[in-house]
Amino acid sequence: MAAQSTLLAEDAPTTKSADDPARMSVIPAKPLHRHTVEEPPQSNWRFNAIYWYFAVCSFIIGACVGSFLNVVIYRLPLGMGLLRADSHCPRCKMPIAFRDNVPIFAWLKLRGRCRECAAPIPPRYMYVELATALIFLMLAFVELLSGGANLPGHTLVDTSVSPLAALNVELIGIYFTHCFLASALLCCVLIAADGHALPKSLVIPTIAVGLFSPFRADASLPLPANWPAADVTQAALGLVVGGLLGACIGIAERYDTDGKKRQCNLAIVLAIIGGYLGWDLSLLAAGLTVIALLTVSLFGKHLLFLERIPTVFFPAITALILIPFWSVWTAANRWSNLQLHVLVLICTVLVLIIISLFARHLRIRHQTPHNAITPV
């Protein structure tokens, strides 16, 4: 009986608590069935319609901004206000009607002439509007509609399901910040091409927006996570480094009035690029600018149109080209500590100074006088 009772005791099922780890390891967990209502995928035509609606809107906004940039480029170097007087013809002083202010199409409709006095309107006005519209469209494709795929780090939103996902506050803020940067650089290039120094009324607001904008994608400096005012620190560092790089490259210019203007304009543009995009992109823009200046010094005697290109054109076009490939460049030069940043910066500055001195020597040696307006 004792043996039988022992057998019965061994065969009897033992009760274990739910918290017993042996019971938890033996009994498999049942899968969770969530009752979710799946949204039907959007049709292809609806996706394309929303996508191209965003694209067309960005083109129209860019064209309107370009029309305003023409006013900025003309009035600010002359000390004129932007809002005090309506747009008018410089020859007959007649105000331009609203129907004649439609970007791009108005110039084409009027065939480049004033409606009142038939004075010729330079085609540059239309080119500025078209260029600004294309820049806004390009940034919309590579930055807004891609969900920030060009930004360093990772994409902000997934727009593969619907382009409406691009309606993200941070992504829209970064997009319009870069549009503002591109517009300011376009103004700087054309004002310099007209032979003027960059006005303070343009430079100060541009630097202020880049310095205090809450929408930044720059992470060029490895700061600690708890660093106070990290965005302002990144912008200030890029601003200082860009300005110093411009001053170093400026030694390639002549020591006359035009040379000082070019040196100051170049330092300002590189500082703006560094303030918005980080010191590493300003470093790359400075390097490509030195290569361009060296090319002008070598072949400017035979190709006179190279000498008529303003110096600030090279860093500005470099920045616009680098924005779509920002994530690629950042992944290629990601350094781990601050010491490497300082070492790379010092070595690059020394190389830029040497090449700039050589370019200045070649420019003085092959200088060809001309009576045209010297772009700065």
Side-chain angles (χ1 to χ4, degrees), residues 244-321:
L244 291 177
L245 290 173
C248 293
I249 301 174
I251 63 177
E253 300 293 347
R254 301 187 306 270
Y255 292 103
D256 56 6
T257 303
D258 291 337
K260 291 180 180 179
K261 283 184 181 179
R262 284 192 291 269
Q263 182 179 7
C264 183
N265 290 347
L266 182 61
I268 290 173
V269 169
L270 283 173
I272 291 174
I273 294 173
Y276 281 81
L277 304 179
W279 74 270
D280 51 350
L281 284 189
S282 68
L283 189 66
L284 181 59
L288 295 179
T289 301
V290 169
I291 295 175
L293 291 177
L294 186 60
T295 303
V296 172
S297 301
L298 290 173
F299 303 102
K301 184 177 180 180
H302 306 285
L303 302 173
L304 294 180
F305 73 92
L306 291 177
E307 292 189 348
R308 301 180 187 276
I309 299 177
T311 309
V312 296
F313 170 79
F314 303 113
I317 194 66
T318 302
L320 294 179
I321 294 175

Side-chain angles (χ1 to χ4, degrees), residues 151-153 216-224 230-242 273-284 326-327 329-342 344-345:
L151 301 177
R216 294 183 57 83
D218 169 34
S220 56
L221 189 66
L223 296 174
D231 290 343
V232 178
T233 304
Q234 297 275 8
L237 177 68
L239 195 70
V240 173
V241 171
I273 294 173
Y276 281 81
L277 304 179
W279 74 270
D280 51 350
L281 284 189
S282 68
L283 189 66
L284 181 59
W326 195 355
S327 59
W329 164 253
T330 305
N333 70 353
R334 180 56 62 204
W335 302 301
S336 57
N337 53 54
L338 187 60
Q339 288 77 10
L340 281 177
H341 282 251
V342 177
V344 170
L345 179 60

Side-chain angles (χ1 to χ4, degrees), residues 64-144:
C64 296
V65 172
S67 179
F68 175 73
L69 294 184
N70 283 319
V71 180
V72 173
I73 295 167
Y74 177 77
R75 294 188 181 184
L76 287 189
L78 301 178
M80 301 171 60
L82 297 178
L83 303 176
R84 291 183 179 180
D86 296 333
S87 298
H88 59 274
C89 174
R91 181 177 175 181
C92 64
K93 307 300 180 181
M94 291 295 295
I96 298 177
F98 178 79
R99 65 180 185 273
D100 297 334
N101 250 336
V102 179
I104 302 175
F105 297 103
W107 190 92
L108 295 175
K109 182 180 178 181
L110 296 174
R111 298 180 180 181
R113 292 189 175 275
C114 174
R115 182 183 293 273
E116 302 295 335
C117 64
I121 301 175
R124 192 178 83 169
Y125 290 99
M126 185 196 65
Y127 295 153
V128 170
E129 295 167 354
L130 182 60
T132 310
L134 292 177
I135 290 173
F136 275 54
L137 181 62
M138 180 267 293
L139 290 176
F141 279 131
V142 303
E143 196 163 87
L144 190 62

Side-chain angles (χ1 to χ4, degrees), residues 14-183:
T14 59
T15 59
K16 297 182 180 181
S17 63
D19 298 333
D20 190 357
R23 177 180 177 87
M24 295 174 65
S25 62
V26 172
I27 301 176
K30 294 182 180 180
L32 296 176
H33 298 284
R34 296 181 180 178
H35 299 281
T36 57
V37 179
E38 296 183 358
E39 297 182 358
Q42 292 187 357
S43 59
N44 192 29
W45 72 267
R46 179 179 173 83
F47 181 92
N48 291 334
I50 299 175
Y51 189 86
W52 287 106
Y53 176 78
F54 274 91
V56 171
C57 287
S58 64
F59 184 88
I60 294 174
I61 294 174
C64 296
V65 172
S67 179
F68 175 73
L69 294 184
N70 283 319
V71 180
V72 173
I73 295 167
Y74 177 77
R75 294 188 181 184
L76 287 189
L78 301 178
M80 301 171 60
L82 297 178
L83 303 176
R84 291 183 179 180
D86 296 333
S87 298
H88 59 274
C89 174
R91 181 177 175 181
C92 64
K93 307 300 180 181
M94 291 295 295
I96 298 177
F98 178 79
R99 65 180 185 273
D100 297 334
N101 250 336
V102 179
I104 302 175
F105 297 103
W107 190 92
L108 295 175
K109 182 180 178 181
L110 296 174
R111 298 180 180 181
R113 292 189 175 275
C114 174
R115 182 183 293 273
E116 302 295 335
C117 64
I121 301 175
R124 192 178 83 169
Y125 290 99
M126 185 196 65
Y127 295 153
V128 170
E129 295 167 354
L130 182 60
T132 310
L134 292 177
I135 290 173
F136 275 54
L137 181 62
M138 180 267 293
L139 290 176
F141 279 131
V142 303
E143 196 163 87
L144 190 62
L145 296 175
S146 68
N150 68 312
L151 301 177
H154 56 82
T155 56
L156 292 178
V157 294
D158 182 14
T159 57
S160 60
V161 178
S162 173
L164 292 176
L167 296 177
N168 178 277
V169 175
E170 184 178 4
L171 186 59
I172 293 176
I174 294 175
Y175 167 72
F176 279 109
T177 300
H178 291 165
C179 288
F180 183 84
L181 168 64
S183 302

